[in-house]
Amino acid sequence: MSRNKSEQLFENAKELFPGGVNSPVRAFKSVDGAPLFIKKGDGCRIWDEDDNEFIDFCCSWGPLILGHNNSAVRTKIEEVLQNGTSFGAPTVLENELGKLIIDNNPFIDKIRFVSSGTEAVMSGIRLARGYTGRDKVVKFEGCYHGHVDSMLVKAGSGLVTFGTSSSAGVPESFSQETIVLPLNDEEAVKNCIAEHGKDIACIIIEPIPANNGLLLQEKSFLKFLRSICTAHDILLFFDEVISGFRVAFAGAAEYYGIQPDIMTYGKIIGGGLPVGAYAASNKIMGHVSPLGDVYQAGTLSGNPVAMAAGIAQIKACLADGFYEDQEERTKYFTGTINDYAKSNDYPFELVSIGSIFWLTFGEHDAIRKADQIDPATMVDFKTIHSLLLDNGVYIGPSGYEVGFVSKAHTMDDLKQAASIFCAVLDQVYKP
Ligand SMILES: *Cc1c(COP(=O)(O)O)cnc(C)c1O
């Protein structure tokens, strides 16, 4: 498999962009080789500039739940594109996407469209602070909420876990307003609230943490968060940028049956174009400008072309049995590989929920916290990633990232990909 063109393009890109990329994980830093430059996608397949073909499980990191170049999405974009691309004035398309979402999501009354997941979280946190009049925010180690200053924070040492910034350029005084706790740990939350409850605006969590491995939480923990937040007038903030429209139409809130106070969406909501959103009850959203005093705006917010892509994709997700079918095909895929690994005593297992899966290595119980991931296992990930690429299967270039099955992955595609996976496991683990 030649990768000459991608390698040359990456050299060119390094002259233009820091590290040759416009988002860091694309740089293949934790795996071997140069990143592949992709020129085309169709269904579950992508092609790189050297004309190599891959079955794709990255799916643009989640947005493409219908796969690449979906005809309904493409047709709707083309139709809207005839009339121009942006007006900075309201369009009927915003109403259409907003109504589609609100009519099918019992957890929200109003929504505000922005242009990325990061922007959605940033705005949602400002809203939580504006609404409660409190400054502190609790987040969990192992949850990613975009590159917002207040969320680029890791657990500090010591008992009182005020955060320390995990990126240069975030003042310590900012990160002092963020408290970082371990996931799935009720005691830690109780202690934190006992000490700081009156200052906490919100507790933000990825209800299905999927940015640092797939750290599935016990439902009882999520329910506990709901009740302790209610008891202390703290807002429960579900960041559903990955899980929204992915595990169920109304995301993890629907999957677990838990009512959060603020929710954020991104990825799938834009059908492959840049859209994010935050949403809540009328009471909370009434604080957003121009109704209320929490300011938030965007030149390209609700962009008609992006709304069009979102409408077409979201409509398809509303089809009867859509999520059951996604989960069934994913289970077939992970089950085939897991059975094979188990019967051969290979130290490998795919963990999954809905149509999200994650590669895990070695003997372990359920992994629910960031510090339960053994960094030493990333050596195996690197080998497997490289062999999968050589054999025509594309997964995200980091062992801390999850994979996605789309509507376009047919049973035949999944059968083919699973058999490649099993052959790769043989190459790595067969004695
Ligand atoms: C991807 C992601 C974000 C950031 O979204 P961007 O569109 O990349 O800014 C925030 N939160 C979660 C849970 C995400 O998965």
Side-chain angles (χ1 to χ4, degrees), residues 116-119 121 144-147 206 211 239 241-242 267:
S116 72
T118 295
E119 202 187 344
V121 169
Y144 176 69
H145 301 293
H147 62 96
E206 283 181 82
N211 278 288
D239 180 359
V241 170
I242 278 192
K267 301 199 166 102

Side-chain angles (χ1 to χ4, degrees), residues 53-380:
E53 179 180 324
F54 303 89
I55 299 178
D56 177 27
F57 290 101
C58 180
C59 295
S60 187
W61 301 102
L64 303 181
I65 195 166
L66 304 179
H68 298 272
N69 195 25
N70 174 269
S71 64
V73 175
R74 190 185 61 244
T75 306
K76 182 79 181 172
I77 292 174
E78 284 169 351
E79 176 197 314
V80 167
L81 208 47
Q82 311 302 317
N83 297 322
T85 55
S86 185
F87 310 106
T91 66
V92 66
L93 294 152
E94 293 159 79
N95 289 15
E96 205 180 316
L97 183 57
K99 188 165 163 49
L100 263 177
I101 294 170
I102 290 171
D103 282 354
N104 293 287
N105 184 329
F107 302 96
I108 58 174
D109 296 326
K110 283 207 170 59
I111 190 163
R112 167 66 62 84
F113 291 120
V114 295
S115 301
S116 72
T118 295
E119 202 187 344
V121 169
M122 181 184 81
S123 310
I125 288 175
R126 184 179 304 137
L127 175 57
R129 286 172 163 157
Y131 177 81
T132 58
R134 299 168 175 182
D135 289 342
K136 295 212 184 304
V137 170
V138 173
K139 82 174 283 284
F140 295 94
E141 198 177 355
C143 286
Y144 176 69
H145 301 293
H147 62 96
V148 188
D149 277 347
S150 64
M151 293 290 104
L152 286 181
V153 170
K154 59 185 180 208
S157 54
L159 291 175
V160 183
T161 49
F162 286 117
T164 59
S165 58
S166 59
S167 165
V170 178
E172 282 302 328
S173 57
F174 289 18
S175 49
Q176 289 291 305
E177 301 298 343
T178 304
I179 300 170
V180 186
L181 300 177
L183 280 163
N184 214 57
D185 184 340
E186 296 189 12
E187 277 312 300
V189 176
K190 279 184 200 157
N191 292 340
C192 168
I193 288 181
E195 195 161 344
H196 304 288
K198 293 225 166 343
D199 299 322
I200 298 169
C202 67
I203 295 184
I204 183 171
I205 186 168
E206 283 181 82
I208 297 176
N211 278 288
N212 186 85
L214 183 59
L215 305 173
L216 296 177
Q217 299 299 286
E218 280 169 294
K219 184 176 173 183
S220 58
F221 178 68
L222 297 171
K223 287 178 109 168
F224 157 80
L225 289 182
R226 174 64 282 170
S227 61
I228 200 164
C229 280
T230 304
H232 293 84
D233 298 320
I234 295 167
L235 299 182
L236 178 61
F237 188 148
F238 273 10
D239 180 359
E240 302 239 31
V241 170
I242 278 192
S243 52
F245 311 97
R246 170 58 67 178
V247 294
F249 189 84
E254 178 180 334
Y255 189 91
Y256 292 116
I258 294 172
Q259 170 74 59
D261 298 305
I262 299 184
M263 270 147 288
T264 42
Y265 304 107
K267 301 199 166 102
I268 292 172
I269 200 175
L273 273 74
V275 181
Y278 60 103
S281 62
N282 282 324
K283 189 172 173 211
I284 294 175
M285 291 302 275
H287 288 250
V288 176
S289 59
L291 273 184
D293 54 3
V294 175
Y295 188 71
Q296 185 272 312
T299 302
L300 291 172
S301 292
N303 173 269
V305 184
M307 294 290 107
I311 290 164
Q313 177 152 277
I314 295 296
K315 263 194 186 153
C317 294
L318 285 168
D320 263 356
F322 180 88
Y323 289 100
E324 290 77 4
D325 177 57
Q326 283 285 105
E327 180 155 19
E328 222 169 87
R329 281 178 295 110
T330 305
K331 281 220 169 103
Y332 164 77
F333 175 67
T334 58
T336 305
I337 296 165
N338 286 343
D339 289 349
Y340 188 78
K342 200 165 184 188
S343 65
N344 287 286
D345 273 331
Y346 296 159
F348 179 87
E349 190 188 4
L350 293 173
V351 175
S352 75
I353 183 170
S355 50
I356 309 173
F357 67 86
W358 178 48
L359 286 65
T360 68
F361 306 88
E363 287 294 313
H364 57 76
D365 298 328
I367 302 178
R368 305 195 192 279
K369 295 182 194 194
D371 66 6
Q372 287 174 286
I373 304 174
D374 177 2
T377 61
M378 294 302 153
V379 178
D380 283 15

